[in-house]
Amino acid sequence: MDYPLLNVFWTTMWIFLWVLWLMLLFRVIGDMFRDDSLNGWAKAGWCVFVIVLPFLGVFVYLMARGSGMGRREMKRAEQAEEELREFVRGTAATGHADELSRLVELKNHGDITAEEYERAKAKVLAA
């Protein structure tokens, strides 16, 4: 083995920095395309800047629009969480209502007795 330990360290460091750079680049590009406040021309301009001069473009983007990246990400996360909560509330409420209406139909058609209806209703409301 003719690869000294220090060379292993430097190689590992360069690979780490390369992966870090790619993550930063994709994060900036993703933020660019998700931002609704930028119009199409501004997005195209930033893309050209980031593609033609990647290091300078990313660093200028971070200086110019970096403070808003966190706020936009937090806003998207809060919106996604609220949509999930609304979905769960709607699904849970609809599930109980549908089940109770199905039980009423079964009771009205004579498929189940009043006692069976009360037991099933208690199960649905307890869940």
Side-chain angles (χ1 to χ4, degrees), residues 39-60:
N39 63 20
W41 288 107
K43 289 179 185 181
W46 278 113
C47 280
V48 167
F49 191 35
V50 167
I51 290 171
V52 172
L53 299 168
F55 289 108
L56 184 63
V58 166
F59 292 132
V60 169

Side-chain angles (χ1 to χ4, degrees), residues 36-105:
D36 292 333
S37 66
L38 284 177
N39 63 20
W41 288 107
K43 289 179 185 181
W46 278 113
C47 280
V48 167
F49 191 35
V50 167
I51 290 171
V52 172
L53 299 168
F55 289 108
L56 184 63
V58 166
F59 292 132
V60 169
Y61 184 86
L62 290 175
M63 285 187 278
R65 301 184 44 81
S67 62
M69 285 176 73
R71 279 180 279 168
R72 288 188 293 273
E73 187 66 32
M74 184 65 79
K75 182 180 169 187
R76 279 191 292 275
E78 288 172 353
Q79 183 181 8
E81 183 178 352
E82 184 59 33
E83 288 173 2
L84 177 66
R85 287 178 192 238
E86 287 297 320
F87 173 75
V88 169
R89 275 191 218 116
T91 303
T94 303
H96 289 310
D98 288 343
E99 187 69 24
L100 288 174
S101 66
R102 188 178 65 81
L103 287 172
V104 168
E105 285 180 29

Side-chain angles (χ1 to χ4, degrees), residues 16-48:
F16 173 76
L17 289 174
W18 184 70
V19 169
L20 184 67
W21 166 249
L22 286 177
M23 289 175 57
L24 182 62
L25 180 67
F26 288 124
R27 171 92 179 188
V28 164
I29 291 173
D31 182 66
M32 231 184 292
F33 284 106
R34 284 190 214 117
D35 189 9
D36 292 333
S37 66
L38 284 177
N39 63 20
W41 288 107
K43 289 179 185 181
W46 278 113
C47 280
V48 167

